[in-house]
Amino acid sequence: MQIFLTSQAKDPNVKQPMIDYVNGFDGKSLIYIPTATHAEQGFGLYQDGGTFKTIKNLSPDLEILELEFVTNQEAQDAIQSADILFMAGGFPVYLSYWLHRRKLRNLIYNRINDGMYYIFTNAGAMVCSKSLRSVNYLA
């Protein structure tokens, strides 16, 4: 199992390692999941961000999978057909909720073991852990 973790995909130093990790984006289907970002920034605002623009530039035919707006079957079919899965950062507990609700955890794990590339930033990495808790720190 190989995964690619970065704190910011928009960092210029990350672009070439991402390309190398997936052996080039050309001809590969990419699913982009912005769900964690929705909880922090609001719906659709990820499209103005540097991470999305970087990934869109690398893979112009990417498919956006907003877990809140699809059925379990639609989400599972998208993951099943993906060559590359990109999970954007944001609020990890929200993302974990939707992955659980759409019954994607085992499917993603199995697809990675079968060779699907998995690129994630922050929240996408956190949801891979065995447990996840939300902590609210007050300043």
Side-chain angles (χ1 to χ4, degrees):
M1 175 186 302
Q2 291 188 0
I3 55 178
F4 188 97
L5 166 63
T6 181
S7 63
Q8 292 188 19
K10 64 186 176 187
D11 184 318
N13 296 317
V14 173
K15 182 178 177 180
Q16 191 58 50
M18 271 195 304
I19 293 168
D20 294 343
Y21 165 67
V22 300
N23 298 311
F25 284 85
D26 293 339
K28 294 184 176 86
S29 61
L30 185 144
I31 302 295
Y32 186 95
I33 298 180
T35 300
T37 308
H38 290 161
E40 288 192 344
Q41 297 178 3
F43 292 96
L45 297 178
Y46 67 90
Q47 294 181 21
D48 295 330
T51 295
F52 179 75
K53 289 177 181 177
T54 297
I55 299 302
K56 179 78 173 160
N57 185 41
L58 291 170
S59 184
D61 296 325
L62 67 82
E63 178 183 342
I64 298 168
L65 182 61
E66 296 174 305
L67 299 177
E68 303 94 322
F69 305 117
V70 296
T71 65
N72 290 3
Q73 191 62 55
E74 290 168 330
Q76 293 165 13
D77 289 348
I79 300 298
Q80 191 62 45
S81 67
D83 296 312
I84 305 166
L85 177 61
F86 186 99
M87 273 204 242
F91 189 52
V93 175
Y94 185 75
L95 176 58
S96 182
Y97 167 80
W98 281 103
L99 291 172
H100 176 75
R101 186 164 175 183
R102 295 293 173 240
K103 300 177 179 14
L104 295 176
R105 289 185 175 281
N106 289 336
L107 176 60
I108 290 171
Y109 179 80
N110 291 336
R111 289 285 295 120
I112 293 169
N113 281 329
D114 291 340
M116 178 180 71
Y117 298 103
Y118 185 34
I119 303 172
F120 46 73
T121 58
N122 301 324
M126 292 177 201
V127 298
C128 291
S129 65
K130 290 184 180 185
S131 65
L132 180 65
R133 278 188 233 154
S134 178
V135 178
N136 185 12
Y137 292 99
L138 299 175

